[in-house]
Amino acid sequence: MDVLLDIAEPGQSPLPHEARPEDQRRVVGIDLGTTFSLVAAIGLDGKPICIPDAQGRVSLASMVYFGTGEEILVGAQAQALAWQDPKRTISSVKRFMGRGLDDIQKDGFHYPYDFYAGAGGMVQIGIDQRLFSPVEISAEILKALKYRAEEALGGSLYGVVITVPAYFDDAQRQATKDAGRLAGLEVLRLVNEPTAAALAYGLDQAREGIYAIYDLGGGTFDISILKLTQGVFQVLSTGGDTALGGDDFDRCLSSLFLNEMGLEAPTAQQIRAAMDGARAVKEALTCSSTAVASIFCGEETPFQRSINREEFNDLIRPLVHKTGFSCRRALKDAGVTVEDLTGVVLVGGSTRVPLVREFVAQLFQCTPLCDLDPDQVVALGAAHQADLLAGNDRSGLLLLDVNPLSLGIETMGGLVEKIIPRNSTIPTARAQEFTTFKDGQGAMAIHVVQGERELADQCRSLARFELRGIPPMVAGAARILVTYQIDADGLLTVSAVEQTTKMAQSIAVKPSYGLSDDQIEQMLREALAHGEQDWMARLLSEARVEAQRALSSAGAALKVDGDLLNAKELGVVKQAMRHLLESSQGEDYEKINQSLKELDQATQFFAERRMDRTIRAGMAGRNITEFE
């Protein structure tokens, strides 16, 4: 049967709901990233594709701006306000998921936010008189991606797969799942980011063998060793660092800039400006050998600093080499050597840094694979897994993931008895028998911990409960069977049964950093009651912010290069600007967006002339051979 080629207009999704089979459930995969987030779905050709926004951008900046009222902006609109209002613009929130105030303070970096210890131990960020948890902030990012997906797919979503760093512990995984629920999403499963990348590569390339997945994103690093055989993706081992990524490269540079500027106690705006300048330099040095940082901190003349790639490499080399420890350990845990590997897959935008690629090639003694966009590959793999879980794809692909850290129980003397070792294939259940320590002991305290240390107080405490009703016996006579069960999301349930009386007790381990069910239910009720109204208000606010940005840019361009236009052309541009200004004062966001397009069209020729002038100025007095 002939198949028509589907052609999408620029800025539109190639996922029209009209062409979707009726029995296909609408599911997506979401890469909830530290710096950028993406949403992907299976396209009409059966292959995964990242869904763009109305402007054709597939990446959503993982930034949320909280206004003075109820205004909340996400993505590019929030990013545009980051320097102007850094305390209200939250970025890299993924770094705060499932972490307490002490954890954040140990980072040793001056964040431009006011942190507080929240209920249950989770850190909260204060804005005015309000407190926001990382779960609530992440939910705003997920809501924006949900809206984008539903617009593209033509209806509400059946479910979603959200990816998490392989080394996220139970608290961080639960916080991610809570954020999905708060955003109104049915979370089908949490999937490790390296595993999602392997899904994308394995399905697209049909390569079998043992692979190392080196995943360096904005805020986290993961390394996984996977075996791909006849449709089975088995994770052999995993490791990493949930507080190491491209953001740390930026911090090395920004700290250098702030020190050279003589700022011992920089303000929130100065920190944000330095971070933005550092990120721009890092990205420029990916393709160039030198770059110039220009940092505006309120002065008329910006701080400028030229930096070359060698100097940048010296700054970040300790961080890059730090990833090697996790890599070597993961290889040892998997029982393989570098020679056993079929290849190495690069994932995450930070793997574009030349030093990182050089280090990976040297460490694994092979040229890394980067066939797919490292920024998109995780979302693409998550879309595959979502399609499988929804029953849309019946290819029979089997995904065998692992738990990243050992799960154990505290025994006498504060020791840890590991019940489920790290890198155990999940879902799984394991049981072990314990007994009483004293004669006549009628209860046993069960303390669930996670980690690799030998003492309980050196591991993370996950839960405590008591098994009561143990019949009086001499010490050592009672037999208590403790069972640990991990589901496909890596979340834990613990039960204890006294074998003689069959007295039982169990607990679904809810980490102290997660939201309670009552809190989530209350937030969901509020979101449901005001959902449509809130979303329409957001669309209007986003359009107004974009209009303000466009008017400001156009005005500045006219001030500098207005002489490039004749009177008629100048009149056309100013008329489009007036039209946009009038539209932005109204309540119709669609009208504002239309006026934005009209201004863009009216200034295209102006932008081309400005570029020509810049190029001519740069080449003045230079020989063409200098550019060969």
Side-chain angles (χ1 to χ4, degrees), residues 8 14 18 77-78 126 136 198 264 317 328 369 378 404 497-498 521 523 573 587 621:
E18 294 84 354
Q77 287 76 23
E136 295 171 274
E264 296 181 2
R317 186 170 280 108
R328 285 185 281 269
L369 296 172
V378 168
V497 179
E498 200 288 308
E521 184 179 350
M523 290 177 179
V573 172
E587 302 294 322

Side-chain angles (χ1 to χ4, degrees), residues 86-125:
K87 283 183 172 290
R88 295 180 181 277
T89 309
I90 313 301
S91 63
S92 299
V93 69
K94 186 174 179 177
R95 285 200 158 207
F96 312 141
M97 293 287 276
R99 305 181 73 198
L101 181 60
D102 290 343
D103 297 328
I104 305 301
Q105 291 173 340
K106 289 176 184 177
D107 284 353
F109 180 75
H110 297 289
Y111 292 100
Y113 316 124
D114 297 322
F115 292 110
Y116 300 89
M122 187 196 297
V123 69
Q124 292 186 311
I125 298 174

Side-chain angles (χ1 to χ4, degrees), residues 34 66 366 402 414 488 526 588:
T34 306
F66 294 93
C366 65
V402 298
E526 292 175 356
D588 189 340

Side-chain angles (χ1 to χ4, degrees), residues 9-31:
E9 294 297 325
Q12 292 183 347
S13 167
L15 298 160
H17 61 277
E18 294 84 354
R20 192 173 184 84
E22 292 184 3
D23 62 343
Q24 293 268 305
R25 290 168 169 167
R26 297 185 185 91
V27 290
V28 295
I30 289 180
D31 175 9

Side-chain angles (χ1 to χ4, degrees), residues 234-248:
Q234 182 180 4
V235 183
L236 301 180
S237 67
T238 189
D241 190 332
T242 58
L244 174 61
D247 284 359
D248 298 284

